[in-house]
Amino acid sequence: MTVRSVVLGCGSYLPRQILTNAELATRVDTSDEWIVQRTGIRQRHIAAEGEFTSHLAINAARAALADAGLDAQAIDLIVLATSTPDNTFPATAVAVQHGLGINHGAAFDLQAVCSGFVFALATADNFLRTGAYKRALVIGAETFSRILDWNDRGTCVLFGDGAGAVVLEAQDQPGKSGDRGVLTTHLRSDGRHKSKLYVDGGPSSTQTVGHLRMEGREVFKHAVGMITDVIVDAFNATGLSAEDINWFVPHQANKRIIDASAHKLHIAPQKVVLTVDRHGNTSAASIPLALSVAVRDGRIKRGDLVLLEAMGGGFTWGSAVLRW
Ligand code: UT7
């Protein structure tokens, strides 16, 4: 027998306010046509004044717990991926823990920008498989609208706010590729690319929050190669191939990057879950938001093989394969 981290439920939350491309075109020199053609994005959600990352995360966590049919007290580990915490410290995960009425176990944040959810999933999976914890909430939650330079058309049109979560439980499985749960995770980073996508502020450097800065074309240039490499790692580790995958749920940064990655890996277009059109790039929240959409609309079902990937600031990148 092998211990696996099995998904019991997933959920998400999007702030009520929607910002369309047409509205953005009244603020900066851009157009709906340019944004759709270059990114696939049509709209994004924006957190209300006073609505924090922790609030989005708590709503997503509650939805995931309801989907799992679990009380919050069953959770003994919370790993929250975010680059837009409520405060410099303590961790936003602690606010989420408190909001859910939990005061046992551990809760901490994880910072890997857009790859945050894959890094958080891998972290929780390792803790569950060692027996250290029994049930984990893995959350991706962001309010990127708060760190955007709304005068920079090269970045402000790309991002949005939101949160998604999954509940994982350590369960004994036969130890075969037919097992439910997380089958493999692969994480990578390379700090040589640090200045291509970063925030120009922070407590230790400027004592300000700062704004997101990105050399979009440079990030784009590396994205497809890094994504496909780390997916090949996942295939090699499991003996699975693109044909075995039922659903490809990539980080939602740009439709062109997603299409090119799927094409290079020979993943059929109908297996690709796309939400970038409605959500924009929600960084660490994008994968659990997309998972939640595909579970709710009936595409992802129990027993399906799901491939996740993400790439972002750092650079960081990673992949995961799980059987739902
Ligand atoms: O999730 C984290 C990872 N991040 C990403 O994956 C983002 C990766 N990068 C991208 O998705 C793309 O590089 C962008 C969508 C950011 C940009 O697309 P691009 O095809 O690489 O365009 P570009 O940066 O090469 O810019 C082309 C032109 C430029 O004008 P010139 O120099 O050709 O005259 C830009 O100034 O488009 C211009 N431009 C815009 N025009 C209208 C840049 N932003 C805009 C805009 N509206 N919003």
Side-chain angles (χ1 to χ4, degrees):
M1 295 297 263
T2 303
V3 180
R4 301 272 194 203
S5 308
V6 174
V7 178
L8 298 184
C10 81
S12 62
Y13 177 80
L14 288 160
R16 205 183 277 260
Q17 191 199 337
I18 290 174
L19 178 62
T20 63
N21 291 349
E23 287 171 274
L24 270 171
T26 66
R27 298 190 195 179
V28 287
D29 182 15
T30 190
S31 64
D32 177 54
E33 192 192 5
W34 189 95
I35 302 170
V36 172
Q37 194 197 5
R38 299 289 177 127
T39 70
I41 299 167
R42 294 182 182 277
Q43 61 169 51
R44 68 289 291 144
H45 290 250
I46 303 292
E49 209 183 314
E51 192 173 36
F52 300 166
T53 295
S54 62
H55 302 143
L56 310 187
I58 289 168
N59 283 322
R62 287 201 176 118
L65 286 165
D67 186 45
L70 274 187
D71 187 86
Q73 297 310 320
I75 300 296
D76 55 1
L77 176 68
I78 300 175
V79 187
L80 188 149
T82 189
S83 301
T84 45
D86 292 5
N87 297 93
T88 302
F89 79 77
T92 301
V94 176
V96 173
Q97 185 194 30
H98 179 61
L100 295 173
I102 306 170
N103 50 26
H104 61 268
F108 59 88
D109 287 0
L110 190 150
Q111 224 283 44
V113 204
C114 295
S115 311
F117 185 77
V118 175
F119 276 58
L121 185 80
T123 304
D125 175 46
N126 279 291
F127 274 119
L128 293 186
R129 286 191 296 108
T130 63
Y133 298 98
K134 178 73 182 159
R135 281 180 217 92
L137 259 172
V138 182
I139 309 171
E142 304 279 16
T143 47
F144 260 51
S145 62
R146 307 266 155 76
I147 56 164
L148 295 176
D149 174 352
W150 287 98
N151 296 312
D152 175 15
R153 69 175 183 171
T155 54
C156 77
V157 304
L158 304 174
F159 296 89
D161 301 337
V166 299
V167 179
L168 297 179
E169 181 178 69
Q171 287 185 8
D172 282 331
Q173 294 283 311
K176 306 260 169 59
S177 67
D179 287 358
R180 286 187 70 204
V182 177
L183 302 180
T184 195
T185 59
H186 300 266
L187 308 181
R188 301 279 301 277
S189 57
D190 185 346
R192 283 178 299 179
H193 302 288
K194 185 172 164 271
S195 63
K196 295 184 179 112
L197 175 48
Y198 72 108
V199 167
D200 62 3
S204 178
S205 53
T206 59
Q207 298 83 57
T208 61
V209 171
H211 291 109
L212 183 147
R213 305 291 173 207
M214 178 167 74
E215 293 173 39
R217 210 176 305 187
E218 278 297 308
V219 180
F220 199 109
K221 213 171 75 185
H222 289 87
V224 177
M226 288 177 163
I227 289 163
T228 51
D229 270 4
V230 82
I231 290 175
V232 169
D233 288 347
F235 287 159
N236 289 340
T238 51
L240 295 164
S241 71
E243 277 183 17
D244 300 312
I245 299 298
N246 298 106
W247 301 108
F248 179 41
V249 186
H251 168 51
Q252 310 280 323
N254 185 319
K255 186 175 183 300
R256 285 153 63 209
I257 295 175
I258 295 171
D259 289 347
S261 307
H263 180 75
K264 200 170 161 189
L265 290 156
H266 306 291
I267 296 172
Q270 62 271 22
K271 293 181 177 180
V272 181
V273 176
L274 261 187
T275 51
V276 69
D277 54 334
R278 286 162 280 167
H279 302 166
N281 180 348
T282 56
S283 190
S286 88
I287 291 175
L289 271 163
L291 281 173
S292 197
V293 165
V295 168
R296 290 291 98 75
D297 69 19
R299 272 180 290 175
I300 299 180
K301 292 178 288 296
R302 191 179 164 132
D304 282 353
L305 205 52
V306 180
L307 170 66
L308 314 180
E309 64 77 6
M311 182 268 179
F315 292 151
T316 56
W317 64 110
S319 65
V321 176
L322 56 148
R323 192 175 299 282
W324 205 256

